[in-house]
Amino acid sequence: MFKAKANSELISVQHTENKIELRLTKPEGFDFKAGQYGTFKILDAKGDTTRTFSFASSPKEKDVWVGTQHGDTPSKYKATLLGLKPGHPFEIKGPYGDFVWKEEEKEAVMVALGVGVTPIRALLMDRDDLSGVTLIYSGSSHKLYLDEFEGLKSKGLHMIETSHRDELAQALDTTRPTQAKAYYVSGSMRAVGAVTKHLKTLGVKGKHIYSDIFTGY
Ligand SMILES: Cc1cc2nc3c(=O)[nH]c(=O)nc-3n(C[C@H](O)[C@H](O)[C@H](O)COP(=O)(O)OP(=O)(O)OC[C@H]3O[C@@H](n4cnc5c(N)ncnc54)[C@H](O)[C@@H]3O)c2cc1C
């Protein structure tokens, strides 16, 4: 599997509320598994130019997608992103990580915590049949990819959207954990920690919880 650095170009950048969606060209021979991540260096730019992002697209898709967000004042990196024009060069390194489909499971609950949805989008897009897959999508601001997830219901996806912490807790309770289920949880360290703790109180064993932690938030 390709694991090095490769050049890519920006196709588009879209800004909605506090969220940024990037599409980049996939470098020749670039191979990764759905759910993995890479580092994205903005070439021909000054200062703080590299961040780690999950691939929001699956390997089956033509381009490489990234989804991110910013606070009231975007960081230097994010401000640079927002000013880029199509064709701008990037360097991608990767792939890294093992937040990937574990083949042995039949039923899965995906818990997307805000922008932590990015690797989960890739995992969902990677499967043709989503029966037995529940997506709990929690977030209080603009939610990336929501329209696409609505479309995935025709492939069997069951989606529960939540905006508040108590709604998230209720949604986790409704999944009625059994040992046949695997949980994929992605987001900031604090949010993933809280969900993991809640799942354990419901009787889910740690070995059935796979997590992707976005350090840096
Ligand atoms: C495996 C993984 C996957 C990730 N996937 C995504 C994703 O898909 N979307 C997304 O929005 N974010 C993702 N992140 C987090 C992302 O890398 C940034 O940390 C985050 O977007 C905040 O960036 P910022 O420029 O707004 O932060 P800033 O507030 O500017 O960062 C502050 C400081 O932290 C440093 N820093 C930034 N990121 C990291 C880091 N990861 N580790 C250590 N130091 C850091 C910077 O160099 C800077 O000095 C992921 C992180 C990891 C580890």
Side-chain angles (χ1 to χ4, degrees), residues 58-100:
S58 103
K60 292 179 181 171
E61 294 177 284
K62 184 168 164 274
D63 305 320
V64 172
W65 289 27
V66 168
T68 187
Q69 68 179 21
H70 60 80
D72 291 344
T73 309
S75 67
K76 172 87 174 45
Y77 182 93
K78 307 270 168 84
T80 304
L81 275 187
L82 289 170
L84 297 181
K85 300 273 176 294
H88 197 94
F90 274 75
E91 182 187 274
I92 305 178
K93 274 193 199 168
Y96 309 106
D98 64 353
F99 189 69
V100 298

Side-chain angles (χ1 to χ4, degrees), residues 93-107:
K93 274 193 199 168
Y96 309 106
D98 64 353
F99 189 69
V100 298
W101 283 116
K102 314 287 174 184
E103 280 169 32
E104 65 269 28
E105 290 109 26
K106 296 187 174 57
E107 288 188 48

Side-chain angles (χ1 to χ4, degrees), residues 2 16 82 85 95 97 102 112-113 138 141 151 158 178 189 212:
F2 176 93
T16 311
L82 289 170
K85 300 273 176 294
K102 314 287 174 184
L113 303 165
S138 169
S141 54
H158 173 54
T178 68
M189 185 176 291
D212 203 19

Side-chain angles (χ1 to χ4, degrees), residues 37 51-54 67-68 75 78 115 118 213-217:
Y37 64 93
R51 283 288 181 279
T52 299
F53 294 121
S54 302
T68 187
S75 67
K78 307 270 168 84
V115 78
T118 49
I213 294 175
F214 287 11
T215 40
Y217 281 123

Side-chain angles (χ1 to χ4, degrees), residues 32-200:
F32 62 98
K33 288 185 183 167
Q36 290 190 300
Y37 64 93
T39 62
F40 291 77
K41 179 174 184 179
I42 308 172
L43 299 176
D44 299 345
K46 291 204 178 89
D48 199 4
T49 55
T50 306
R51 283 288 181 279
T52 299
F53 294 121
S54 302
F55 303 120
S57 46
S58 103
K60 292 179 181 171
E61 294 177 284
K62 184 168 164 274
D63 305 320
V64 172
W65 289 27
V66 168
T68 187
Q69 68 179 21
H70 60 80
D72 291 344
T73 309
S75 67
K76 172 87 174 45
Y77 182 93
K78 307 270 168 84
T80 304
L81 275 187
L82 289 170
L84 297 181
K85 300 273 176 294
H88 197 94
F90 274 75
E91 182 187 274
I92 305 178
K93 274 193 199 168
Y96 309 106
D98 64 353
F99 189 69
V100 298
W101 283 116
K102 314 287 174 184
E103 280 169 32
E104 65 269 28
E105 290 109 26
K106 296 187 174 57
E107 288 188 48
V109 179
M110 324 300 286
V111 186
L113 303 165
V115 78
V117 71
T118 49
I120 288 179
R121 180 192 179 278
L123 291 168
L124 295 175
M125 290 298 170
D126 200 47
R127 275 207 171 174
D128 296 327
D129 180 7
L130 293 169
S131 43
V133 179
T134 298
L135 167 64
I136 298 177
Y137 192 177
S138 169
S140 51
S141 54
H142 175 71
K143 288 193 175 84
L144 293 167
Y145 319 128
L146 204 50
D147 290 350
E148 285 184 293
F149 296 152
E150 290 290 342
L152 291 182
K153 288 180 179 174
S154 65
K155 287 183 169 188
L157 180 71
H158 173 54
M159 179 166 70
I160 307 172
E161 199 195 329
T162 70
S163 317
H164 302 289
R165 227 180 274 182
D166 49 346
E167 286 175 0
L168 171 61
Q170 274 175 21
L172 293 171
D173 293 348
T174 63
T175 62
R176 289 194 283 283
T178 68
Q179 298 313 333
K181 279 187 179 139
Y183 288 78
Y184 293 78
V185 188
S186 174
S188 68
M189 185 176 291
R190 202 166 146 191
V192 169
V195 167
T196 303
K197 198 170 160 194
H198 189 96
L199 290 174
K200 287 187 174 167

Side-chain angles (χ1 to χ4, degrees), residues 14-43:
Q14 194 182 325
H15 191 197
T16 311
E17 295 175 19
N18 65 337
K19 298 291 189 302
I20 307 170
E21 283 181 68
L22 302 179
R23 294 189 192 177
L24 297 127
T25 56
K26 197 190 289 184
E28 184 102 7
F30 189 69
D31 192 16
F32 62 98
K33 288 185 183 167
Q36 290 190 300
Y37 64 93
T39 62
F40 291 77
K41 179 174 184 179
I42 308 172
L43 299 176

